Amino acid sequence: MENKDIYHYGILPDVHFRFSSAEISYAVNAASNLHGFDDAGTELLARTMLAAFFLADLVKEDTKVSVQIRFYDDSEIHSVLAYSTRNGRLKATLRHRPEEDIESAQISEENLGILKVFRWKDGECIYQSIVPFRNQSFETNIENYLRDSEQVPSFLVAYVKLDGLHWRIKGLFLQALPEAKSEHIDAVRELAGKLEEEKSKVYEGTVSQALEILQSSWNTKFEILETGRPEYRCDCSEEKIKELIQNLGKEEAMDIAEEQGQIEVTCEFCNSIYRFPKAQVLELF
């Protein structure tokens, strides 16, 4: 599969909106293949990674965003989690619930679980929002989160399609700038709705071509301010795992090392394995 992942950040000056346009097909396929996710899991993972990437554009460059959905006990999927920086450094994972732990009864017809959006800087959480994940489309849940938590009109269109053996993941995120008037917001809402209906046709080619199509059909300018390439890249390291072990405390860490002869940690995002023999664990304290 050829890597065509790309993103564009910019503005629609005529209607006072900012936009993010992206393809993250290569990154999503990399994550899915690494973990062996099925089609349903990969589709959910793709939408979550796309949402994390778009939300990361709303924060400063030295922070990152995580989007997590924790489903109720009647779901085969326990949770999905994606991280992204503003320049598209993505990592993600998905957890299935053991079959014996799945509740047979529907817990809630209105809500499917909990949506968590966190912002991180230097390993510390600097912002968090926890809202219901409702029995609506994924995109609607993200739009509702932004409306309720950020009080900013926003629209998300996601194109997620399995094409043969590979997934095609593209999308457009639109958010009102302070100068946007109600008529601008109404106009963009209508245009986003039309794109949702026509996205299979609009996204037949690249996302750059899609922007050209939209600029013509919407009769408004898409002014690109920044372009880059997203990438699936885990940021785990031996030093971070050492800090994790130190956070356990000496007593608990040594108990594990004594029982197992070592401490072994597997990164849930990239499957890298870190092993620390008992003597090395002791040296950490």
Side-chain angles (χ1 to χ4, degrees):
M1 179 184 181
E2 183 181 356
N3 186 353
K4 296 182 179 180
D5 286 2
I6 192 171
Y7 67 79
H8 302 294
Y9 294 143
I11 60 172
L12 283 68
D14 297 338
V15 290
H16 304 292
F17 263 72
R18 63 189 296 170
F19 77 87
S20 307
S21 174
E23 176 169 3
I24 59 169
S25 303
Y26 198 86
V28 170
N29 281 281
S32 179
N33 293 337
L34 177 65
H35 296 288
F37 294 141
D38 60 16
D39 289 350
T42 301
E43 181 174 353
L44 175 61
L45 190 81
R47 296 183 189 278
T48 308
M49 290 174 67
L50 199 61
F53 171 73
F54 284 145
L55 293 182
D57 179 36
L58 307 181
V59 300
K60 295 181 179 179
E61 292 187 14
D62 58 350
T63 62
K64 60 183 175 181
V65 168
S66 66
V67 175
Q68 181 181 32
I69 305 168
R70 176 78 176 269
F71 292 97
Y72 292 144
D73 293 346
D74 58 338
S75 169
E76 294 181 6
I77 296 177
H78 174 276
S79 59
V80 59
L81 172 63
Y83 285 82
S84 182
T85 61
R86 187 181 179 279
N87 60 352
R89 299 297 175 259
L90 294 150
K91 64 178 184 179
T93 190
L94 180 145
R95 299 173 184 170
H96 284 86
R97 196 183 309 277
E99 187 174 346
E100 61 270 19
D101 292 342
I102 299 175
E103 299 287 346
S104 58
Q106 177 75 25
I107 293 179
S108 172
E109 293 184 0
E110 181 181 0
N111 300 329
L112 301 180
I114 300 296
L115 170 66
K116 302 179 180 181
V117 179
F118 291 178
R119 295 174 187 160
W120 305 85
K121 182 176 182 179
D122 300 327
E124 299 290 334
C125 179
I126 59 174
Y127 165 90
Q128 62 177 330
S129 179
I130 302 175
V131 297
F133 187 79
R134 304 190 183 280
N135 192 8
Q136 300 171 317
S137 73
F138 187 99
E139 293 83 351
T140 298
N141 273 283
I142 297 298
E143 291 173 355
N144 289 344
Y145 151 73
L146 288 166
R147 181 196 65 207
D148 297 339
S149 299
E150 306 288 330
Q151 286 84 49
V152 182
S154 308
F155 308 101
L156 171 61
V157 178
Y159 176 73
V160 180
K161 180 183 179 182
L162 180 59
D163 184 8
L165 299 176
H166 302 296
W167 287 84
R168 306 295 179 186
I169 317 298
K170 307 170 186 178
L172 179 68
F173 178 70
L174 301 154
Q175 187 175 67
L177 294 170
E179 300 83 2
K181 299 179 180 179
S182 58
E183 57 264 33
H184 297 136
I185 295 170
D186 291 341
V188 173
R189 179 183 291 108
E190 182 178 352
L191 293 171
K194 290 181 179 178
L195 175 57
E196 179 66 36
E197 297 173 357
E198 301 171 353
K199 61 185 179 182
S200 295
K201 182 179 179 180
V202 173
Y203 284 117
E204 285 179 345
T206 67
V207 290
S208 299
Q209 292 169 335
L211 289 182
E212 293 177 2
I213 293 172
L214 294 177
Q215 184 167 252
S216 176
S217 62
W218 289 7
N219 193 29
T220 190
K221 183 179 181 181
F222 279 74
E223 183 177 336
I224 296 174
L225 303 177
E226 181 182 337
T227 296
R229 291 200 173 277
E231 180 183 359
Y232 188 82
R233 181 197 295 178
C234 185
D235 56 356
C236 69
S237 68
E238 183 172 310
E239 290 304 314
K240 289 185 177 181
I241 302 302
K242 287 180 179 179
E243 291 179 8
L244 179 66
I245 295 173
Q246 289 171 331
N247 289 336
L248 291 175
K250 182 177 180 179
E251 183 177 352
E252 184 175 352
M254 291 309 299
D255 284 346
I256 298 173
E258 289 285 352
E259 180 181 347
Q260 302 179 4
Q262 64 177 359
I263 291 182
E264 180 178 298
V265 179
T266 301
C267 176
E268 63 180 333
F269 295 100
C270 68
N271 291 342
S272 294
I273 300 175
Y274 297 87
R275 296 185 178 92
F276 298 87
K278 182 170 62 174
Q280 189 177 358
V281 174
L282 185 60
E283 291 175 358
L284 297 178
F285 298 94

